[in-house]
Amino acid sequence: MNKYRKKLALALLALGALALGGCAQQPDTVEDPLSAFGIDAVLPFATVAPEVVEATPTPAPTTDPDDLTTDPSYGQSWKQDTTVSEDQDNWAQQSTPAPTPRPTQAPVVEDDTPLYERLSYGDSGTAVKDLQRRLKNLGYYTGSVDGIYGTGTVAAVKLYQSITGLSQSGVATASLQQEIFSSYAPIYEPTPAPRPTATPSPTAQYVQLSRGDSGSRVTRLQNRLKTLGYYTGTVDGEYGSGTVTAVKRFQKQLGLNATGTATVALQQKLFSTSAPYYEPETATPAPAPDDDEQTYIRLAQGDSGTRVRNLQTRLKELGYYTGSVDGNFGRSTATAVKRFQQAIGVNVTGVATIAVQQKLYASNAPVYEGEEEEDAYTLLSPGDSGSAVKRLQTRLKELGYFDGDLGGNYLTKTTDAVRKFQEAIGVNPTGIATVALQKKLFASDAPYYEGEEEEEQPQTNYVKLQKGATGTQVTNLQKRLKELGYFTTDITGTYGTMTIRAVKAFEARYGKEQTGIATVALQKELYSDNALPYEDASDTTGDSGSGTTYTKLQKGDSGAKVKQLQRRLKELGYFEGAIGGNYQKLTTDAVTLFQKAAGLKANGVATIATQELLFSDAAPIYQPTATPTPNPYQTLKRGDTGSAVEQLQSRLIELGYISSVSDITLGTFDKNTMLAVIDAQNQRGYDSDGSADEEFLIYIYSEDVWDVVLADYEGG
């Protein structure tokens, strides 16, 4: 009976266990099941059946886990029990295998790296302000921390990208900002200034730089200008007004047009070992003789007045100048200045700087000793004249290249002789006698002429030629007149109006009556080696049939005759300036326009022939429609091509919206051109669709655009 009761008790216990197993279908409690046992434990309690998580398990007994999960007598985990009796605890230890291993929870890694958003031109806000502040701390940004992503911020980002070897987009991507805000972001240190005598690498590549450009090339330019004394600002890699001023100073020092743009050719001179140092124009030396002014000023070709007259007088006293003291700084005066510069060992530019004048007027100024030394050469080219040309002709004749008269005039025969010598030594036959070429020419090992060809002899059988004549003799006449500078139009072989004018000018050169007829005597003189070129013609001559006399006028001249010239040019529509009697750029441009319209040699010099036609009834009236300026009001959009697009691109480069010509397809309205237009329109406050309409084009070509560009640049 007792044995039966034990079996019954065991059966009841089994039924109780099954009943407890049915409770496992309810969600797990979130209460700590061990709280009643005084155990301090933190366990994850899920409210639904847990998913199997792959993790490093806690070491378990050798019992196979599969046996635990498939044993029908195995109940719910001890974690689900809220009350555990001593018997139950013993049962769990004795009858229940080790529980299924609980996976170790993967550690949670907290990522505190800031998330950055892409920032670019036109953005604003706190993120931009933080970026500006960081770039300023690193030395890349110099503007105000205003939270506006303008051209200054773009330039700073580009500079950072340049220093770190990245593509210079000017856009602060998320990855770029992570690098900028990192502890290893490089601090900007401007490139040390190169030594004045350092020669740039032969492989150095220059690109044209102008206002609005930025980057390492501008930094290098500023450093070089600073070394030579032209630049006094901060070396910041930004091509601003200070850099423009410095470039202009360097251009003036070389006697070039001061544009403020650093062309490739200009940079080659700037980085050369012969680049001149800046000579400030604020010195106050002793006054020049007969000059009431107490300071010197820079004098160059085209200047005129008392200062130039004093300069010529002093150069003549020392033997450097042989021309007339007329107060006009022309080619002869420039040549004399070059000779003096050679004598004192400074850069030969032909410009009378303040420093040059100080040495010129000094009591110990060297006297001109001639050009007998081998290294005393100056550049000689067609149209030059004087002792240097005569010396050149003599040497060319010694070597067999020249067979003309030693008249000292650099004309066709001299040019051909120089070309032959250049061909003999294997250089480009330009016909120009450079300093380097003359050194080779006067060297003891200079090659002799080995050619067998003889110079074509001028015709010797002359017949009188006049209006209406045609043929070979007229052709030869026109060619010879053109060689000497009297005839400036095409060779036609027909004796017409322009040939008559040329013959009259030649007659006037010799003081003869102006008939316009090429007599036999005139042709003999014309074809001789001693024929006088037009450039040296006398100043005055009569206008056929009118009794009016004209004087050759050019830039730098002034007086009543210039006023008369300006008045006539204005009547015909070529001149728009004030009739002040000063022959400067506007007058030069007007004369050039007239000469082009009349088919004359367009050099801006009012020659006698030019004035004869200008004041005649046959003078052409200015036709504005002939100006080849593209229509600035034609709407341009992506895909368009042509000169109007190219003009727009050039303006956008000038204003800094396009970094360089290498970023675009010149003459094609491509994607980068469209983006530049959008930037310019947004900066102005226009709603932009990327097309350049009439309103935008009027604005972009106006001077008002600089107010917007510079205001944004200065503000960041």
Side-chain angles (χ1 to χ4, degrees):
M1 189 68 181
N2 289 335
K3 189 175 182 180
Y4 175 77
R5 287 177 180 176
K6 289 180 179 179
K7 290 182 177 180
L8 182 60
L10 289 172
L12 291 174
L13 287 172
L15 290 174
L18 290 174
L20 289 172
C23 296
Q25 301 302 319
Q26 299 299 320
D28 294 339
T29 177
V30 296
E31 297 293 336
D32 183 358
L34 303 181
S35 60
F37 295 91
I39 299 174
D40 185 10
V42 179
L43 300 174
F45 289 91
T47 58
V48 295
E51 296 180 359
V52 177
V53 179
E54 294 183 2
T56 305
T58 304
T62 57
T63 306
D64 189 349
D66 292 338
D67 294 338
L68 298 177
T69 57
T70 57
D71 186 358
S73 64
Y74 180 70
Q76 289 295 306
S77 170
W78 55 271
K79 294 186 296 181
Q80 297 171 332
D81 297 335
T82 56
T83 305
V84 181
S85 65
E86 183 178 352
D87 290 341
Q88 289 171 329
D89 186 55
N90 291 337
W91 175 83
Q93 293 176 359
Q94 297 173 7
S95 303
T96 304
T100 302
R102 179 173 56 86
T104 303
Q105 184 179 13
V108 177
V109 179
E110 294 185 3
D111 186 3
D112 56 357
T113 303
L115 296 178
Y116 300 103
E117 60 179 2
R118 180 180 182 276
L119 299 174
S120 61
Y121 180 82
D123 291 339
S124 60
T126 304
V128 176
K129 186 175 290 188
D130 292 340
L131 177 65
Q132 290 172 328
R133 187 177 293 108
R134 177 59 174 166
L135 288 169
K136 193 159 192 171
N137 291 337
L138 294 174
Y140 296 91
Y141 181 61
T142 58
S144 59
V145 180
D146 55 8
I148 300 174
Y149 204 119
T151 53
T153 310
V154 170
V157 172
K158 282 186 176 181
L159 181 57
Y160 182 87
Q161 291 169 324
S162 172
I163 295 298
T164 55
L166 301 174
S167 176
Q168 299 179 43
S169 64
V171 176
T173 61
S175 59
L176 182 68
Q177 291 180 67
Q178 287 178 349
E179 182 177 330
I180 290 174
F181 284 98
S182 68
S183 59
Y184 57 82
I187 297 174
Y188 177 58
E189 297 178 357
T191 306
R195 295 181 180 180
T197 57
T199 302
S201 170
T203 58
Q205 297 296 319
Y206 301 108
V207 297
Q208 179 168 305
L209 300 172
S210 57
R211 182 192 290 268
D213 287 342
S214 61
S216 58
R217 292 183 186 275
V218 178
T219 300
R220 183 169 176 265
L221 178 75
Q222 291 172 328
N223 275 321
R224 181 60 172 164
L225 289 166
K226 200 174 188 89
T227 300
L228 296 175
Y230 297 93
Y231 183 60
T232 57
T234 304
V235 179
D236 55 6
E238 295 294 324
Y239 204 121
S241 57
T243 309
V244 170
T245 300
V247 171
K248 284 183 176 180
R249 286 173 179 165
F250 183 69
Q251 289 170 322
K252 287 180 180 179
Q253 193 74 19
L254 295 180
L256 303 175
N257 186 26
T259 63
T261 298
T263 63
V264 172
L266 186 76
Q267 291 179 64
Q268 289 173 341
K269 293 179 181 178
L270 177 68
F271 286 98
S272 70
T273 55
S274 61
Y277 283 82
Y278 179 52
E279 299 177 357
E281 301 184 1
T282 57
T284 309
D290 301 324
D291 191 351
D292 294 334
E293 297 291 337
Q294 296 299 308
T295 60
Y296 296 113
I297 63 171
R298 178 181 178 275
L299 298 173
Q301 196 161 346
D303 290 339
S304 61
T306 303
R307 292 179 185 274
V308 177
R309 190 184 300 275
N310 291 335
L311 179 74
Q312 292 170 329
T313 300
R314 181 58 173 166
L315 287 167
K316 198 159 193 171
E317 289 174 356
L318 297 174
Y320 296 94
Y321 182 61
T322 58
S324 59
V325 180
D326 55 6
N328 294 314
F329 200 124
R331 177 182 293 178
S332 298
T333 308
T335 300
V337 172
K338 287 180 181 179
R339 289 172 180 162
F340 181 73
Q341 288 171 322
Q342 285 179 332
I344 62 176
V346 299
N347 193 33
V348 179
T349 63
V351 176
T353 62
I354 293 173
V356 167
Q357 293 179 63
Q358 287 174 332
K359 294 179 180 179
L360 178 69
Y361 289 111
S363 58
N364 61 346
V367 177
Y368 181 56
E369 297 179 353
E371 300 177 345
E372 298 302 323
E373 295 183 2
E374 188 173 302
D375 59 349
Y377 305 114
T378 59
L379 176 70
L380 297 174
S381 56
D384 288 341
S385 61
S387 59
V389 176
K390 189 173 183 178
R391 180 169 175 259
L392 177 74
Q393 292 171 331
T394 301
R395 180 58 173 166
L396 288 167
K397 197 160 193 171
E398 289 175 358
L399 298 175
Y401 296 94
F402 180 68
D403 64 354
D405 290 336
L406 305 177
N409 294 312
Y410 203 126
L411 300 175
T412 303
K413 284 191 175 184
T414 308
T415 303
D416 291 342
V418 171
R419 285 197 180 111
K420 289 176 184 176
F421 180 74
Q422 288 171 322
E423 290 173 350
I425 62 174
V427 300
N428 186 30
T430 61
I432 298 174
T434 63
V435 173
L437 183 79
Q438 292 177 64
K439 287 182 178 181
K440 293 180 180 179
L441 177 68
F442 285 95
S444 59
D445 59 349
Y448 283 82
Y449 181 56
E450 298 178 355
E452 299 295 333
E453 298 180 1
E454 296 182 356
E455 285 287 322
E456 181 182 351
Q457 297 298 320
Q459 69 180 72
T460 56
N461 297 322
Y462 305 112
V463 295
K464 185 169 74 171
L465 300 173
Q466 55 188 340
K467 185 175 182 180
T470 59
T472 304
Q473 290 179 317
V474 177
T475 299
N476 292 335
L477 178 73
Q478 291 173 333
K479 285 182 178 178
R480 182 58 174 165
L481 287 167
K482 194 162 191 172
E483 287 176 359
L484 297 173
Y486 296 93
F487 189 74
T488 58
T489 59
D490 295 335
I491 306 297
T492 62
T494 300
Y495 204 117
T497 304
M498 300 309 295
T499 308
I500 294 173
R501 286 202 180 102
V503 172
K504 282 184 177 181
F506 185 74
E507 290 173 321
R509 175 67 179 88
Y510 285 86
K512 303 292 185 181
E513 180 184 358
Q514 298 175 51
T515 64
I517 299 173
T519 62
V520 172
L522 181 141
Q523 292 179 62
K524 286 181 179 180
E525 187 65 40
L526 179 69
Y527 285 108
S528 72
D529 290 330
N530 296 320
L532 299 175
Y534 178 72
E535 284 76 11
D536 294 332
S538 58
D539 287 341
T540 60
T541 184
D543 184 356
S544 177
S546 67
T548 304
T549 58
Y550 298 111
T551 302
K552 179 181 174 182
L553 300 172
Q554 57 189 341
K555 187 174 181 180
D557 290 339
S558 60
K561 289 187 178 292
V562 177
K563 280 187 178 181
Q564 184 181 17
L565 178 74
Q566 292 171 331
R567 189 174 291 109
R568 178 59 174 166
L569 288 167
K570 198 159 195 171
E571 288 174 358
L572 297 174
Y574 295 95
F575 183 68
E576 295 182 354
I579 301 175
N582 294 309
Y583 202 123
Q584 297 299 332
K585 185 178 184 302
L586 289 178
T587 308
T588 302
D589 292 344
V591 171
T592 301
L593 284 175
F594 174 78
Q595 289 170 327
K596 287 180 179 178
L600 302 174
K601 183 180 179 181
N603 56 10
V605 177
T607 62
I608 295 167
T610 297
Q611 293 180 64
E612 284 178 344
L613 181 58
L614 178 68
F615 288 97
S616 72
D617 294 335
I621 298 175
Y622 178 59
Q623 301 294 331
T625 55
T627 304
T629 304
N631 177 13
Y633 306 123
Q634 174 187 356
T635 299
L636 302 172
K637 59 185 181 303
R638 188 171 181 181
D640 288 345
T641 58
S643 58
V645 175
E646 183 176 343
Q647 183 183 12
L648 174 62
Q649 291 170 324
S650 298
R651 182 62 167 170
L652 291 170
I653 291 174
E654 179 185 3
L655 297 172
Y657 293 108
I658 297 175
S659 298
S660 71
V661 72
S662 61
D663 294 337
I664 57 172
T665 302
L666 196 61
T668 300
F669 201 115
D670 55 12
K671 180 182 178 182
N672 287 341
T673 303
M674 181 188 71
L675 294 176
V677 169
I678 291 174
D679 286 345
Q681 289 171 331
N682 287 337
Q683 191 176 20
R684 175 66 170 172
Y686 292 162
D687 292 331
S688 177
D689 60 358
S691 63
D693 58 12
E694 178 180 347
E695 182 182 8
F696 173 72
L697 290 170
I698 293 174
Y699 157 70
I700 206 70
Y701 288 120
S702 70
E703 289 301 316
D704 295 339
V705 68
W706 283 110
D707 295 335
V708 177
V709 171
L710 295 178
D712 188 79
Y713 168 73
E714 293 170 358

